[in-house]
Amino acid sequence: MQELQERSPSDFLGEAIGRRVLVKLNSGVEYRGILSCLDGYMNIALEQTEEWVNGQLKNKYGDAFIRGNNEVEIQKGDAITITAMKERLESTLFW
Amino acid sequence: MSDEQVPPTVESNDVEEPFDLVRLSLDERIYVKLRGDRELRGKLHAYDSHLNMVLGDVEETITVVEMDEETYEEAVRTVKRQMEMLFVRGDGIILVSPPSRTGDE
């Protein structure tokens, strides 16, 4: 659809602020929590974060800062809208 | 003139960008998850934009998974060590968790 084409990756991420997200790292570890904010390096701040490894809950953090170079994708809620983040925001603009 | 006006604060307590979480944790004990199944707990003395950090009174926990060559049983072992002062290069960091900001800190 036309509308979809006009949304940029940062629009998607901006809309996800304040919502439940799933952040997957390249190690396979997943973080589920509420997205507080993110920056141009795709460093991410999450609230009420749960750490899931192999489908098991391993840890909980009130707040968590996730360093931007580790993420593979972010899913908003349960709707699977995949972003194949590799290194930095600059490179993600070429998807 | 309203007395309600809040003076501009140099250090805001709001989290507007991810690094605010780290900034608000200065001089607090934090949890750091590193690559290679390593974890640190220590007091954050300083950091920069690469997330390089200086931590004080640090406890490092290393998780080692060992496989018994005969029974193929996996045993998880943790090794701990203490350091007075530690410089951490930012690129090894996966996650930083500050002390809980809930309540009226």
Side-chain angles (χ1 to χ4, degrees):
Chain A
M1 284 201 293
Q2 197 64 35
E3 279 179 34
L4 288 176
Q5 300 226 327
E6 289 169 12
R7 291 172 68 236
S8 71
S10 49
D11 287 341
F12 166 77
L13 293 170
E15 285 168 23
I17 288 172
R19 300 177 64 169
R20 294 200 69 81
V21 294
L22 182 150
V23 178
K24 192 184 270 187
L25 306 192
N26 43 28
S27 63
V29 179
E30 295 177 357
Y31 293 95
R32 293 157 192 263
I34 298 166
L35 182 64
S36 312
C37 52
L38 67 166
D39 64 18
Y41 294 106
M42 239 175 261
N43 295 316
I44 289 179
L46 291 181
E47 290 170 25
Q48 300 169 35
T49 312
E50 295 175 352
E51 181 179 77
W52 290 76
V53 184
N54 298 325
Q56 284 185 304
L57 181 60
K58 291 284 178 184
N59 233 326
K60 287 188 179 185
Y61 311 100
D63 281 299
F65 175 109
I66 302 171
R67 200 173 185 274
N69 60 324
N70 297 301
E71 299 137 22
V72 179
E73 61 188 60
I74 296 177
Q75 298 176 5
K76 190 159 62 178
D78 289 320
I80 302 172
T81 319
I82 292 176
T83 55
M85 293 169 202
K86 241 195 137 183
E87 289 280 333
R88 299 276 155 103
L89 189 57
E90 291 91 307
S91 59
T92 63
L93 294 172
F94 296 106
W95 305 332
Chain B
M1 202 173 116
S2 166
D3 295 339
E4 304 285 307
Q5 223 170 0
V6 181
T9 47
V10 180
E11 278 192 29
S12 161
N13 272 342
D14 298 340
V15 175
E16 286 163 6
E17 53 166 18
F19 269 104
D20 290 344
L21 269 189
V22 183
R23 181 173 50 84
L24 293 169
S25 307
L26 277 168
D27 289 327
E28 307 264 11
R29 289 192 74 78
I30 57 167
Y31 165 85
V32 181
K33 190 182 171 74
L34 294 170
R35 291 168 180 271
D37 293 320
R38 286 160 191 265
E39 297 167 302
L40 301 171
R41 285 175 183 81
K43 186 176 171 182
L44 181 63
H45 287 298
Y47 70 94
D48 66 16
S49 61
H50 303 287
L51 215 60
N52 297 323
M53 288 180 176
V54 177
L55 296 175
D57 189 17
V58 195
E59 182 184 72
E60 180 182 36
T61 307
I62 309 162
T63 306
V64 196
V65 180
E66 285 171 339
M67 172 106 79
D68 188 302
E69 289 188 9
E70 285 166 17
T71 64
Y72 295 104
E73 277 178 29
E74 283 187 354
V76 180
R77 191 164 60 89
T78 59
V79 182
K80 295 201 181 208
R81 56 180 185 139
Q82 311 282 333
M83 282 146 294
E84 216 167 90
M85 196 69 81
L86 184 69
F87 176 92
V88 187
R89 192 175 149 94
D91 65 354
I93 294 175
I94 295 173
L95 177 142
V96 179
S97 186
S100 178
R101 288 187 306 115
T102 49
D104 46 9
E105 282 178 85

